[in-house]
Amino acid sequence: MSSLLDRAWGPVRDLLPARADLARMGRDPRRDLLAGLAVAIVALPLALGFGISSGAGAAAGLATAVVAGALAAVFGGSNLQVSGPTGAMTVVLVPIVAQYGTGGVLAVGLLAGVMMVGLAVARAGRYMSYVPAPVIEGFTLGIAGVIGLQQVPNALGVPKPEGEKVVAIAWRAVGEFVRQPNWTAIGLTAGVVVLMLAGTRWKPTVPFSLIAVIAATLAVKAMRLDAATIGHLPAGLPAPSLAFLHPSEVPSLLAPAVAVAALAALESLMSASAADAMSVGQRHDSSKELFGQGLANIAAPLFGGVAATGAIARTAVNVRSGASSRLAALVHAAVLAVIVFAAAPLVAGIPLAALAGVLIATAIRMVEVGSLRAMARATRSDAVILVLTAAATLALDLVKAVLVGMGVAGALALRAVAKQARLDQVPLDRGDHSEEEHALLAEHIVAYRIDGPLFFAAAHRFLLELTEVADVRVVILRMSRVSTLDATGALVLKDAIDKLKRRGITVMASGIRPGQLRTLDSLGVLNTLRSDGRVYATTPDAIRAARTDLHCAGVLTVPAQLGNDVPEEAAR
């Protein structure tokens, strides 16, 4: 029993924080405290805004930032990652809230957290490295567009229209604004956007998002403007509860939970990778990061929080502020907790239009024009992948968008690899026979060298080329340069051999790699060749056998040795 428990506990034990990670928190606490404070200042308006945008409310956004931010910092796999509610996750949560209500979205977050822990135990994080850069860039561009469109109703000061597609909702909001203009809301939004974008360009280290929100709030109060505000916020976090979870509803919530878990895993690992790239000597553990995010998403709904992920914008602020350990992310969560408990009445007066401006400016800053331009110019395939992923993000949900991008990237990659497969006719080495004899050999023996991968994407083109060989007596297949061989390629090769033999052509194979014999043998490709003794280690062996056959058939009358002086590599 104890060995069984050890075997079950082992994978989880490996995911727990290492002593070195926790010890690192005491090396430079002053820098981490300052970095955590800077991140909290940036995170406050974002947590409020994303909570409201998701439909769960500002309190849910703050609860997510506090609970998930603290747990992911302790149990995650990155020393620099900052977690909380994000724009990408908001995009997924909006239709879930509309269909299942606030209780449903809390249940989805908890189920997604359990799934992420399972992914961590399965060590699924390592597959993140297979996501192509154009997919990530297109995904980010699409998210920026969705976040911006989500803010249109609050930015224009109109009630949010019904619907799930952000483009349609934004369009209806514009129509409502035309009928009943709200210049106060649009003025507050525009002022916050301009102040954030211009201020950040002028002084990147100053938290202009918080300054802009404070200025907008004071302006509304001083001038008694008619502007919708956040409204009442509870002073503190609610007691943990599972009242939202109804077992009978779990089966219907599994599909959205899979989408949330997939997005949380993808965005968190993307953010952790970005943190590694921006820092020196830091490297995250992808499995631990999934584990920490899973625990964070299990705990956050208990306190009324929505699903969380690693947040690229806040993580970037953390790195640039000089953070060196997990202490900075913990400080960020602690500062937000103090605000929840002590400053809820002040936060309640923030105009929704100001938060809309913060998120619109954040969306604009997510788009790196130089990076997009470089990616689009790299290759035509990269440009297609980027554009399709961004368009799918706007038109579909985010998980489907990534799948579309991965599918297109995979298809284009296979197309490029398949083009590398070549079937080249190679001249016979003259060896030590006469010009007349060589000419006679060349009329009856043809050698083909197969270069590159022979798999499903290239196999049928290979079959067409091979079976169109001219009327000769012997075909030698030189296979030492076949880099990849799958079942489709092997079956096509078998088909080509059978068609050549039906035409009365003797087929020989040389230089087959040991690693490819299993595939060929399992499908019976070499059965007929082996029974006839037509499989050879090197090409000179095959040519000598072909000469002997032609000599016995009376085509050649003078025996000669062929290929004795051929170098070993060229002879295969």
Side-chain angles (χ1 to χ4, degrees):
M1 178 64 73
S2 61
S3 62
L4 184 62
L5 290 174
D6 289 341
R7 202 176 308 130
W9 173 247
V12 177
R13 184 178 55 234
D14 295 339
L15 296 172
L16 295 176
R19 185 175 300 176
D21 295 330
L22 300 179
R24 192 184 185 107
M25 296 169 60
R27 292 183 184 176
D28 198 346
R30 182 177 177 277
R31 288 179 61 186
D32 287 330
L33 288 170
L34 293 175
L37 180 60
V39 176
I41 292 172
V42 172
L44 175 61
L46 293 177
L48 295 169
F50 288 135
I52 293 170
S53 294
S54 70
L62 283 174
T64 305
V66 173
V67 177
L71 282 173
V74 174
F75 292 97
S78 170
N79 289 318
L80 304 176
Q81 178 93 287
V82 179
S83 301
T86 63
M89 185 57 71
T90 298
V91 175
V92 175
L93 296 181
V94 168
I96 297 176
V97 172
Q99 185 172 355
Y100 300 103
T102 303
V105 84
L106 298 181
V108 164
L110 187 148
L111 293 172
V114 173
M115 293 176 186
M116 292 181 72
V117 170
L119 290 174
V121 173
R123 298 296 192 272
R126 57 178 179 246
Y127 297 111
M128 173 61 193
S129 59
Y130 294 106
V131 180
V135 173
I136 295 175
E137 290 289 346
F139 180 75
T140 305
L141 176 61
I143 288 174
V146 172
I147 293 172
L149 290 171
Q150 281 182 336
Q151 309 316 310
V152 171
N154 284 337
L156 300 179
V158 300
K160 182 181 177 181
E162 295 294 327
E164 294 183 2
K165 300 299 181 184
V166 290
V167 176
I169 292 173
W171 179 254
R172 291 174 194 151
V174 171
E176 185 66 27
F177 176 81
V178 171
R179 287 189 291 273
Q180 293 182 327
N182 186 335
W183 299 109
T184 298
I186 200 170
L188 290 171
T189 302
V192 170
V193 171
V194 171
L195 181 58
M196 279 187 63
L197 295 180
T200 303
R201 183 178 292 272
W202 174 53
K203 290 282 188 181
T205 57
V206 177
F208 281 100
S209 58
L210 186 63
I211 293 173
V213 168
I214 292 173
T217 304
L218 294 176
V220 167
K221 290 187 178 296
M223 293 185 281
R224 298 182 179 178
L225 300 174
D226 183 16
T229 61
I230 290 176
H232 173 71
L233 280 177
L237 296 175
S241 171
L242 275 172
F244 59 84
L245 186 63
H246 304 288
S248 60
E249 297 178 355
V250 169
S252 63
L253 297 174
L254 288 177
V258 170
V260 169
L263 178 60
L266 178 67
E267 189 174 12
S268 297
L269 294 178
M270 284 171 52
S271 178
S273 298
D276 291 347
M278 288 186 288
S279 60
V280 177
Q282 294 280 357
R283 185 173 179 81
H284 75 280
D285 184 313
S286 57
S287 296
K288 286 186 177 181
E289 184 60 31
L290 290 180
F291 183 71
Q293 295 295 337
L295 292 181
N297 279 288
I298 290 172
L302 304 181
F303 296 89
V306 295
T309 77
I312 296 177
R314 275 155 274 181
T315 299
V317 172
N318 195 37
V319 176
R320 290 167 185 158
S321 299
S324 61
S325 75
R326 301 159 189 262
L327 180 60
L330 278 172
V331 169
H332 137 270
V335 171
L336 292 179
V338 170
I339 292 172
V340 169
F341 282 95
L346 297 177
V347 173
I350 295 175
L352 294 179
L355 292 179
V358 170
L359 299 186
I360 290 173
T362 301
I364 293 172
R365 290 170 58 186
M366 286 175 65
V367 180
E368 298 183 9
V369 178
S371 178
L372 292 174
R373 186 182 293 118
M375 191 70 65
R377 289 177 177 175
T379 66
R380 186 177 299 177
S381 296
D382 289 336
V384 169
I385 295 167
L386 191 154
V387 171
L388 284 179
T389 305
T393 304
L394 287 171
L396 309 172
D397 64 64
L398 301 191
V399 176
K400 290 179 182 176
V402 172
L403 293 177
V404 167
M406 292 289 288
V408 174
L412 293 175
L414 285 176
R415 178 171 172 268
V417 171
K419 285 184 175 181
Q420 297 175 8
R422 297 199 316 274
L423 184 70
D424 297 328
Q425 182 177 347
V426 293
L428 300 179
D429 187 82
R430 293 182 179 273
D432 57 357
H433 48 276
S434 65
E435 290 289 337
E436 294 80 4
E437 192 175 29
H438 180 271
L440 190 59
L441 280 170
E443 290 177 4
H444 297 281
I445 302 175
V446 60
Y448 281 100
R449 185 177 64 216
I450 308 171
D451 284 345
L454 183 58
F455 69 132
F456 69 92
H460 290 89
R461 175 171 60 84
F462 161 81
L463 173 63
L464 291 174
E465 292 182 21
L466 184 57
T467 53
E468 289 176 358
V469 64
D471 188 16
V472 297
R473 297 289 188 93
V474 181
V475 168
I476 300 172
L477 301 178
R478 300 176 60 177
M479 299 184 62
S480 62
R481 297 191 183 182
V482 176
S483 58
T484 302
L485 179 71
D486 70 353
T488 303
L491 288 173
V492 166
L493 182 62
K494 181 180 180 182
D495 193 17
I497 292 172
D498 291 342
K499 287 184 177 180
L500 291 172
K501 291 188 70 175
R502 284 197 294 270
R503 289 170 51 191
I505 298 173
T506 300
V507 181
M508 301 178 176
S510 68
I512 301 174
R513 296 183 178 184
Q516 295 164 358
L517 282 173
R518 179 178 178 181
T519 303
L520 295 170
D521 288 340
S522 64
L523 296 170
V525 178
L526 302 178
N527 288 352
T528 57
L529 297 187
R530 278 208 177 95
S531 64
D532 296 335
R534 303 300 187 186
V535 179
Y536 301 93
T538 66
T539 301
D541 292 339
I543 295 175
R544 278 192 291 271
R547 276 183 50 81
T548 301
D549 287 353
L550 294 177
H551 177 70
C552 293
V555 177
L556 297 179
T557 57
V558 183
Q561 297 299 317
L562 181 65
N564 293 334
D565 300 325
V566 180
E568 181 180 353
E569 178 63 27
R572 290 176 182 164

